[in-house]
Amino acid sequence: MTHAIRFHKTGGPEVLSWEEVQVGKPGAGEARIRHTAVGLNFIDIYHRTGLYPLPMPSGLGGEGAGVVEEVGAGVTDLKPGDRVAYGNAPLGAYSEARLIPADRLLKLPDGIDDKTAAAMMLKGLTAQYLIRQTYRVKAGDTILLHAAAGGVGLILSQWAKHLGATVIGTVGSDDKAKLAKAHGCEHTINYSKEDFVKRVDEITGGKKCPVVYDSVGKDTFMKSLDCLAPLGVLALFGQSSGAVEPFNLGLLAAKGSLYVTRPTLFTYAMKRENLVAMANELFDVVKSGAVKIEVNQTYPLKDAAKAHTDLAARKTTGSTVFLV
């Protein structure tokens, strides 16, 4: 029998259970894949706790890599045996095997192994849209990145440095500061010890930043606005500390005609051609060595609850992968 992680009610890590599931044959436009590796992301916690509500019972996880076992009618660009990965698909990655819309699958190029792919698809595609589309980072920019030692952070900072930008990264500990420095951050700020607004002002000589990438949310949002140069963009792409409270939009005018956006990978990668173009750009920077994917933790898939506990407690760095 095939197994998967399921949950029947929202709550803490203890609601996750390892269950037998029936997968069945792929329908039209679908493929059946057998996972070899599955990525862990903070959005998985949002789903488990009900912050992002799901119909119950539910599977979990939107990122994985594996091998195509069978394809349904109308699928012409995939065949059994193909190595594939995905980072923008219906939930259900926490499974040994699953059915998935074939248009969400991306063939893996030689030179990118399954574990690396499972660690990089959702986070890497997120980094791609943030620095190549939401705000197009260019040489000479000085940008601010929160959670610089996290999964998205380590990819985004390396990529931005490769593009010629100077990256200021905030972190929660001295160890994470070292990790961020080793992955593209020119400057690191330990926000448990320092006021990051003051430090950004010092680093930029009062010019501040054209963009702030914020996945922390409630604890950093208002101060992030204070780090922006006039006409600057705050890209809020997560909320690990909680949801941002409503605020007076007049503040954006008072602080310099600022822009705030709440982008999602789902929107940017909705069209197949956009997804493929984004993935190809990601594959290229990883294969070139400009961006190195750090898989710093692995867990058996059945131990998903422990991995969730460690991620929420900020005990992890870089990317975490479940081995199937």
Side-chain angles (χ1 to χ4, degrees):
M1 285 293 293
T2 299
H3 289 80
I5 293 287
R6 306 275 292 168
F7 64 116
H8 297 260
K9 62 179 181 180
T10 58
E14 70 281 353
V15 302
L16 301 178
S17 61
W18 183 242
E19 300 178 8
E20 287 187 353
V21 293
Q22 293 279 0
V23 178
K25 295 180 74 67
E30 288 186 326
R32 175 181 167 127
I33 66 168
R34 181 154 296 278
H35 286 125
T36 52
V38 171
L40 170 68
N41 294 282
F42 219 99
I43 194 171
D44 302 346
I45 291 178
Y46 298 160
H47 285 137
R48 189 203 73 224
T49 60
L51 181 65
Y52 294 173
L54 298 172
M56 293 286 126
S58 180
L60 204 58
E63 177 178 48
V67 178
V68 175
E69 290 190 316
E70 190 177 352
V71 297
V75 178
T76 57
D77 55 348
L78 292 174
K79 63 184 187 303
D82 282 347
R83 294 176 58 241
V84 291
Y86 61 91
N88 175 237
L91 297 187
Y94 285 26
S95 59
E96 292 176 324
R98 70 174 296 192
L99 300 178
I100 192 167
D103 72 349
R104 297 292 91 189
L105 293 173
L106 297 151
K107 285 187 186 178
L108 281 175
D110 293 338
I112 296 180
D113 64 67
D114 292 13
K115 189 167 78 168
T116 299
M120 76 184 222
M121 294 308 298
L122 191 150
K123 291 174 277 288
L125 291 170
T126 298
Q128 193 283 340
Y129 82 69
L130 287 170
I131 66 172
R132 305 296 288 152
Q133 298 184 73
T134 302
Y135 173 87
R136 197 168 176 87
V137 171
K138 59 190 181 298
D141 283 343
T142 298
I143 70 172
L144 177 62
L145 169 65
H146 290 301
V152 173
L154 293 182
I155 295 173
L156 193 154
S157 54
Q158 291 178 84
W159 201 337
K161 181 181 180 181
H162 174 63
L163 294 170
T166 298
V167 184
I168 305 170
T170 69
V171 294
S173 71
D174 292 341
D175 285 344
K176 289 189 174 184
K178 289 177 190 169
L179 188 67
K181 275 235 171 186
H183 293 83
C185 284
E186 183 75 19
H187 306 277
T188 55
I189 303 169
N190 183 343
Y191 55 72
S192 68
K193 297 179 178 178
E194 300 178 278
D195 179 346
F196 70 81
V197 177
K198 184 179 175 187
R199 285 287 294 125
V200 166
D201 202 55
E202 291 169 356
I203 291 165
T204 62
K207 292 180 180 178
K208 303 186 180 182
C209 300
V211 64
V212 176
Y213 295 112
D214 190 339
S215 61
V216 178
K218 184 179 179 181
D219 289 354
T220 53
F221 181 81
M222 295 307 293
K223 285 189 167 188
S224 290
L225 293 176
D226 291 331
C227 294
L228 284 169
L231 307 181
V233 177
L234 173 48
L236 179 74
F237 67 101
Q239 49 196 47
S240 60
S241 68
V244 174
E245 294 174 359
F247 72 101
N248 180 357
L249 290 176
L251 282 172
L252 300 180
K255 292 177 183 293
S257 301
L258 305 179
Y259 296 86
V260 173
T261 181
R262 182 61 176 87
T264 68
L265 176 59
F266 175 79
T267 309
Y268 279 90
M270 191 179 298
K271 293 180 180 176
R272 170 71 180 175
E273 58 266 34
N274 293 354
L275 174 62
V276 171
M278 292 164 66
N280 286 340
E281 196 170 346
L282 173 62
F283 292 152
D284 285 346
V285 293
V286 172
K287 286 193 296 180
S288 76
V291 172
K292 294 178 174 58
I293 305 300
E294 303 285 345
V295 180
N296 291 341
Q297 300 84 209
T298 60
Y299 299 79
L301 181 57
K302 62 178 173 29
D303 291 344
K306 169 124 181 36
H308 276 224
T309 300
D310 291 348
L311 179 62
R314 300 183 183 275
K315 290 182 179 177
T316 66
T317 58
S319 295
T320 300
V321 167
F322 297 112
L323 300 179
V324 185

